Amino acid sequence: CPFLHFVRYGLNLKDKDAGELSNLNIGNILHNVAKLFIDSNHLPIEESLVAQKAERCFVEVINRDVYESVKNNPFNKVLIKNLLNEAKRFCGVLNYQSRFSKFKAFKTEVRLDDKTNIKSLKIKVGNKILKLVGQVDRIDKFENYFRIIDYKTGRCDTSLKELFFGKKVQLEAYLKVIENSLKLKPAGSYYMPVKSGIADESSTMQLKYQLKGRTVLDDDIIIASDAKLSTDCLSSDIIEVKFNKPDKDGNKNLSAYAKVATKKDMEILSNYAVDIIGRMCEDILSLNITPSPLVFSASD
């Protein structure tokens, strides 16, 4: 929606900071906790140490000056305690996913601009060259493959219609930028929920933090993403991959519910994302601020 972009980035309208523990603050705090937890520990670590180290990271983050008004608001006391418990669960899942995956955190909170080794993406619009900059929450690496992960406190929708209509182009565009910069092969791109709500210590808790997105259709990449799939386990709680029961010859075929894409299809999706960003830039430069909200019906 051109008008929504104009309000956010043209007028730069923002809510006044009243020291509330808003969704934005929750997301930023948990982002920072995840970065600190990963950067200060060589994952995976002993499970018995996770809660203690997660709390240490949380305390360091919440005591930063930027969250002073949030911490000093008496109405946030219980909410901050609940957020600490969420941080412990979240870090526990980060540790769990690292334990069963050959993909390890390579870089966190990575800026995409010409000042780093992850270069900005150049987009030609008319006679202008624009640079796509941004930030990737995490890049994981396995051998000569990489995957990107973006933490999300909101809805994690990676359906193709979201990409087609230009609502969600971030993952696919970033995939292309990083591939060009690091000269590694893309293995997948995902959103990861960072707020599960009600505490759940059962075995299904991992599914609440399951990486939402597409994995490259390659046996080595799939097994590297979740080593448990190499045994009798047919369904991953780390990535959206599920196998049907083996046939009489013992072969396992992917279920229709598996969210995978061939290397060629991943490339097509990335190119489409870059193309639609270029068209959005044309709208911005032409000063188009026409309200054009996009609403999906239940039948879409």
Side-chain angles (χ1 to χ4, degrees):
C1 175
F3 182 73
L4 180 60
H5 182 276
F6 171 67
V7 169
R8 283 181 179 172
Y9 303 105
L11 299 179
N12 197 29
L13 296 183
K14 295 179 181 178
D15 292 332
K16 184 178 180 181
D17 183 11
E20 297 178 355
L21 195 56
S22 62
N23 286 335
L24 178 60
N25 280 329
I26 289 172
N28 288 337
I29 290 169
L30 291 175
H31 273 67
N32 288 320
V33 170
K35 173 178 171 55
L36 194 57
F37 181 75
I38 291 172
D39 291 349
S40 59
N41 296 286
H42 184 67
L43 302 185
I45 60 176
E46 291 291 333
E47 288 185 39
S48 59
L49 300 176
V50 170
Q52 175 188 348
K53 290 181 176 291
E55 182 169 358
R56 189 179 302 164
C57 293
F58 181 84
V59 170
E60 179 176 329
V61 170
I62 202 68
N63 283 327
R64 291 175 182 173
D65 291 344
V66 67
Y67 301 119
E68 184 176 0
S69 60
V70 171
K71 187 183 67 173
N72 293 336
N73 187 336
F75 295 103
N76 291 337
K77 187 175 181 179
V78 174
L79 295 176
I80 289 176
K81 183 178 179 181
N82 290 338
L83 189 57
L84 168 59
N85 291 331
E86 172 59 25
K88 291 178 181 179
R89 289 193 296 272
F90 184 45
C91 290
V93 174
L94 292 175
N95 195 59
Y96 171 87
Q97 292 181 351
S98 178
R99 181 154 56 98
F100 290 106
S101 175
K102 292 182 181 179
F103 280 91
K104 304 300 180 184
F106 176 54
K107 294 178 180 292
T108 58
E109 302 292 333
V110 184
R111 286 290 303 170
L112 276 65
D113 58 41
D114 291 340
K115 297 177 182 178
T116 69
N117 63 337
I118 310 292
K119 303 302 180 185
S120 58
L121 181 67
K122 309 295 190 296
I123 299 177
K124 187 174 182 179
V125 181
N127 60 350
K128 298 180 181 293
I129 300 295
L130 304 181
K131 296 179 181 180
L132 177 66
V133 298
Q135 183 166 289
V136 178
D137 291 336
R138 197 173 98 218
I139 302 175
D140 291 352
K141 185 174 177 288
F142 163 64
E143 294 182 349
N144 61 337
Y145 292 100
F146 78 94
R147 66 183 186 185
I148 60 175
I149 296 173
D150 188 67
Y151 305 133
K152 281 289 182 186
T153 53
R155 185 164 156 260
C156 299
D157 191 342
T158 57
S159 62
L160 289 175
K161 67 182 180 183
E162 294 277 323
L163 173 62
F164 180 78
F165 289 109
K167 286 193 71 178
K168 294 283 193 334
V169 296
Q170 180 183 20
L171 292 181
E172 286 75 14
Y174 283 179
L175 208 63
K176 191 170 188 66
V177 175
I178 296 168
E179 180 183 10
N180 292 342
S181 295
L182 297 182
K183 307 303 180 186
L184 296 173
K185 299 177 183 179
S189 56
Y190 312 93
Y191 290 124
M192 182 178 181
V194 297
K195 190 171 184 298
S196 67
I198 299 174
D200 182 0
E201 303 303 330
S202 69
S203 59
T204 61
M205 183 186 71
Q206 309 296 342
L207 287 173
K208 295 184 177 182
Y209 299 87
Q210 186 184 48
L211 303 180
K212 305 296 183 182
R214 277 168 281 277
T215 303
V216 169
L217 183 55
D218 181 285
D219 288 345
D220 291 338
I221 291 174
I222 291 173
I223 298 304
S225 300
D226 188 348
K228 300 189 304 298
L229 289 173
S230 62
T231 60
D232 294 332
C233 180
L234 298 177
S235 182
S236 173
D237 55 8
I238 296 178
I239 57 175
E240 292 183 289
V241 168
K242 184 177 181 179
F243 288 97
N244 292 315
K245 291 183 178 180
D247 58 25
K248 60 181 180 180
D249 297 321
N251 298 316
K252 292 191 298 184
N253 297 313
L254 285 169
S255 164
Y257 297 100
K259 190 166 283 188
V260 294
T262 65
K263 296 175 183 178
K264 182 63 177 177
D265 285 341
M266 292 287 274
E267 182 181 358
I268 290 172
L269 294 176
S270 290
N271 289 335
Y272 178 79
V274 173
D275 178 67
I276 202 167
I277 288 173
R279 282 183 272 161
M280 293 175 185
C281 291
E282 290 177 358
D283 266 357
I284 294 169
L285 293 177
S286 65
L287 303 182
N288 178 12
I289 58 171
T290 306
S292 181
L294 180 64
V295 179
F296 296 132
S297 68
S299 61
D300 286 343

